[in-house]
């Protein structure tokens, strides 16, 4: 995994806070569509979005797209999704449950991504 990305969005929420999950996904996709390299870091409850199908049903309504569409488009358009390993384990998940397009990262990787980014969004 490259140590840096132009834009890093850190998401701490999943189905428990659909507004924040949707906003983070929307901004990550917007940054990617502007041509930036983008890494979406999933932490805390947000790691659940690394499990295929978890974003299904998260839809806060217009003008926002459903979370599953945002995540699918983000990945298809070259966005990177990184899953915090400690948060994943804490939430009772393991790497075999994650979408194979995700990257499992550790705390030092998070620091490298944030310190190397030109911009970031922390959705806590």
């Amino acid at each position: 995994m490259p140590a840096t990305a132009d834009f890093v969005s850190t998401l701490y929420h999943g189905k428990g806070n659909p507004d924040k999950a949707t906003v983070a996904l929307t901004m990550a996709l917007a940054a990617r569509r502007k041509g930036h390299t983008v890494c979406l870091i999933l932490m805390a409850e947000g790691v659940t979005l690394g499990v295929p199908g978890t974003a299904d049903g998260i839809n806060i309504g217009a003008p926002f797209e459903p979370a599953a569409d945002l995540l699918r488009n983000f990945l298809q358009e070259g966005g990177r999704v990184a899953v915090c390993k400690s948060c994943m384990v804490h939430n009772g998940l393991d790497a075999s449950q994650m979408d194979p397009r995700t990257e499992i990262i550790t705390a030092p990787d998070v620091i490298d991504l944030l310190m190397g980014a030109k911009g970031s969004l922390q959705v806590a």
Side-chain angles (χ1 to χ4, degrees):
M1 173 186 81
T4 61
D6 292 342
F7 182 78
V8 175
S9 182
T10 306
L11 175 57
Y12 297 86
H13 301 279
K15 286 188 175 188
N17 195 324
D19 287 352
K20 289 184 177 183
T22 300
V23 167
L25 288 165
T26 298
M27 297 312 244
L29 180 57
R32 183 68 201 121
R33 287 182 171 164
K34 288 184 70 65
H36 299 289
T37 58
V38 182
C39 185
L40 173 65
I41 303 174
L42 303 178
M43 299 183 77
E45 181 203 0
V47 299
T48 60
L49 294 176
V51 177
T54 302
D56 295 349
I58 299 176
N59 186 355
I60 63 172
F64 295 98
E65 296 176 47
D69 294 345
L70 292 164
L71 184 57
R72 181 185 65 251
N73 291 335
F74 178 70
L75 287 164
Q76 286 176 347
E77 295 182 28
R80 295 170 39 215
V81 176
V83 177
C84 170
K85 181 178 182 180
S86 295
C87 298
M88 179 183 69
V89 171
H90 176 75
N91 280 277
L93 300 168
D94 64 58
S96 69
Q97 295 172 279
M98 295 296 131
D99 185 306
R101 298 170 292 181
T102 64
E103 307 165 24
I104 309 301
I105 64 172
T106 61
D109 299 320
V110 172
I111 300 304
D112 290 345
L113 281 162
L114 289 170
M115 295 305 293
K118 294 177 184 174
S120 67
L121 175 70
Q122 310 299 310
V123 182

